[in-house]
Structure formats: C-alpha cells, structure tokens
C-alpha cells in the first residue's frame, strides 16, 4: 500500500517542479525576456563581455577611455601636462592600440595630450571636429599626427562606428562658424546591449539646441556632463531630455561645477561623480551598469 502511495505522488511532484521553473518563479530583479523589445534571437537578453568606461581625473580637462572585448577608444587627451598621465593609464590598462581617437573640439584641454599618446600607441583613426584652430597647441597636435602618419578626419556628417559589441554614433556640429569654440563639440552616443551613454564634450547652448532638436533624443544611463559642469540656458532641458542615472563631471577644486547644475542633476535623480575626487569607472555588461571610483 505504501509503495502505491509513493508511486501516485511522483507525477504530482514533477508537475509542481515544472511549474516553478517555467511560470512566475523568477527572482524579482531578473529580466523577463517577454517584456523586453526584441527583434533577434532569445540570446539578446544574455549578459555581454564587460565594457569599461574610464573618465580620467586630470582636472578641468577631458580624457575618456572606452574598452570592450579587446578594442579601445579614447575621447580627448587633456592638456599638454596631462598627456603623460593619460599615456600611463593606457599603459596600465595594457593598451597598445586604439581603434579610434575622437577629438571633440580643438581647445587645449582636449587636444593637449595628443603628442604623448601617438608615439606610445598605434591609432587606427583620428576623428575631430570640423574646424581648425589658430593656436600653438593645435600646431603641436597637427605635427604629432604628421609624425605618426595620420591624417585627422574632420567630421561634417554623423558617423556610425562599432567597437567590439558597442555601437557608437558620432554627431558633429551643424556648422563650422561658431563664436564659441565649445559649440564645435562632437557628441558621442554609445549603446551597449540595453545601456546607453552620452559623451557631450563641451557643448554650449547653440550645440545643445542642435542636439535637442533631433527627433531621436533618448534617455541615457550615463552622461558625461558638458563643459565641466558649467550651467547654461539649456542645461535643464538637456538633463530632463536624457534623464541620466549617472552623471560624471570633469572638474577640479580650482574649477568646480556650478552648484545650480548639481542641483538640477540631483533633482532629476542622477547620481553625480566629480573627477575632483579621482577617476571614475563605469562597468557595463549590456544589462546592468555600475559606476565606481577607479
């Protein structure tokens, strides 16, 4: 009698176990693939190899390293005196080749370190804003490119690039005749899996107005705040439009961000990191994103 009772119970146990694996038994923080827009295979919701973004602490200047699956990109190079530190970061990360070097615009705090970078690493393409500059620092930049056998590409139309599993969209300024050099800034959008990034150079009001007038402006997980945290007339509009989860500001104790801008970011729910306190590193697997001190 006992054996017949156990035998009758087995099918019921199997049925219960099957229901718990295929029904509503997922953990609260797991992604339900049926709720995610998908046009490809079921593997789209699997984690990707880590993508790493390092915003290097060099004061009121920009140098941002992106790495994924053995590929790398550098956005800007800081000032001349920052070049050695940026080059040291590349060496520490084991980088001998950059697929791309993006120069958002030609101010000294963005192009100054080029003459330290190009002799150290191979660079596939140098892509810059569409303008030229009448300055000694720009002449050094041009000379460094010539010595490396590189002809910089002046960006006049949007450009799509791939970096490992990351997709990038480089957005140039609409014109080449701005009063403010910062408005030449190339903005870079990057998508990795389900995560979105925006690197906004030093864009001021005219450039921000161009960007915000686009139909495809979307929210982002990570924003490199434009122009070292300076408040502009369109700062609030940008922050509300892209609604970042994390915002990083390249700044220094001598040149801190504007308090009004920090308040806008915090009011919109962004977690803010300042490079005054050290380099900032974001690590993304295409599903999740965490930002820490490097």
């Amino acid at each position: 009698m006992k054996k017949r009772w156990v035998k009758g119970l087995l099918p019921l146990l199997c049925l219960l176990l099957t229901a718990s694996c295929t029904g509503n038994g997922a953990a609260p923080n797991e992604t339900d693939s049926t709720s995610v827009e998908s046009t490809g295979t079921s593997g789209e919701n699997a984690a990707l190899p880590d993508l790493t973004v390092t915003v290097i602490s060099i004061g009121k200047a920009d140098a941002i390293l992106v790495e994924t699956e053995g590929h790398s990109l550098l956005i800007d190079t800081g000032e001349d005196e920052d070049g050695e530190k940026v080059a040291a970061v590349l060496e520490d990360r084991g980088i001998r080749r950059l697929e791309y070097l993006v120069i958002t615009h030609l101010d000294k705090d963005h192009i100054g370190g080029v003459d330290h970078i190009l002799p150290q690493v191979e660079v596939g393409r140098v892509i810059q804003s569409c303008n030229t500059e009448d300055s000694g620092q720009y002449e050094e930049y041009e000379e460094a490119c010539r010595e490396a056998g590189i002809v910089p590409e002046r960006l006049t139309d949007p450009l799509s690039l791939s970096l490992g599993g990351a997709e990038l969209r480089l957005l140039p300024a609409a014109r080449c005749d701005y009063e403010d050099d910062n408005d030449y800034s190339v903005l870079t959008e990057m998508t990795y899996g389900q995560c979105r990034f925006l690197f906004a150079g030093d864009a001021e009001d005219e450039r921000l107005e161009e960007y915000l007038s686009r139909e495809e402006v979307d929210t982002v997980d990570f924003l490199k705040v434009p122009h070292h945290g300076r408040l502009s007339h369109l700062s609030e509009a940008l922050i509300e439009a892209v609604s970042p989860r994390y915002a990083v500001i390249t700044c220094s104790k001598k040149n801190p961000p504007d308090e009004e801008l920090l308040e806008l970011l915090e009011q919109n729910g962004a977690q803010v990191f300042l490079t005054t306190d050290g380099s900032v590193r974001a690590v993304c697997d295409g599903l999740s994103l965490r930002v820490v001190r490097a």
Side-chain angles (χ1 to χ4, degrees), residues 37-110:
E37 292 185 8
S38 175
T39 57
T41 66
S42 59
E44 282 190 359
N45 296 318
L48 300 171
D50 280 350
L51 174 143
T52 302
V53 176
T54 305
V55 184
I56 303 171
S57 176
I58 48 175
K60 183 179 167 287
D62 278 14
I64 304 164
L65 176 63
V66 180
E67 306 166 77
T68 179
E69 298 184 86
H71 303 278
S72 55
L73 153 78
L74 185 65
I75 302 175
D76 292 327
T77 64
E79 295 197 31
D80 190 30
E81 59 264 32
D82 303 321
E84 290 185 3
K85 181 173 182 179
V86 177
V89 170
L90 297 181
E91 184 175 4
D92 289 345
R93 301 291 293 177
I95 294 172
R96 296 291 178 264
R97 185 178 191 277
L98 295 167
E99 266 76 1
Y100 311 105
L101 171 58
V102 177
I103 303 296
T104 60
H105 61 299
L106 304 177
D107 284 356
K108 66 180 183 179
D109 56 329
H110 295 257

Side-chain angles (χ1 to χ4, degrees), residues 95-213:
I95 294 172
R96 296 291 178 264
R97 185 178 191 277
L98 295 167
E99 266 76 1
Y100 311 105
L101 171 58
V102 177
I103 303 296
T104 60
H105 61 299
L106 304 177
D107 284 356
K108 66 180 183 179
D109 56 329
H110 295 257
I111 65 171
V114 169
D115 56 347
H116 295 272
I117 304 303
L118 294 185
Q120 174 175 305
V121 299
E122 178 187 353
V123 176
R125 296 168 67 179
V126 175
I127 303 168
Q128 66 160 75
S129 55
C130 66
N131 61 312
T132 60
E133 187 76 21
D134 183 15
S135 70
Q137 194 66 73
Y138 181 65
E139 291 176 2
E140 289 184 21
Y141 161 73
E142 286 191 305
E143 178 62 25
C145 288
R146 279 194 297 269
E147 291 181 355
I150 294 173
V151 178
E153 304 171 35
R154 294 182 187 174
L155 196 64
T156 57
D157 295 302
L159 178 64
S160 296
L161 301 172
S162 294
L163 187 77
E167 298 298 326
L168 297 100
R169 184 77 167 160
L170 273 55
L171 303 171
R175 310 195 315 269
C176 288
D177 58 349
Y178 298 90
E179 291 185 10
D180 193 325
D181 288 349
N182 292 321
D183 282 322
Y184 292 111
S185 290
V186 175
L187 275 64
T188 300
E189 296 177 331
M190 181 171 72
T191 302
Y192 193 63
Q194 298 176 16
C195 298
R196 291 176 54 85
F197 300 74
L198 174 62
F199 307 97
D202 277 359
E204 295 278 15
D205 281 334
E206 284 192 84
R207 188 70 190 90
L208 292 177
E209 184 176 7
E210 291 172 2
Y211 181 75
L212 292 171
S213 67

Side-chain angles (χ1 to χ4, degrees), residues 229-246:
R230 297 279 73 81
L231 183 72
S232 73
H233 293 298
L234 290 178
S235 293
E236 184 173 6
L238 175 69
I239 292 167
E240 289 182 351
V242 301
S243 188
R245 291 170 51 204
Y246 300 99

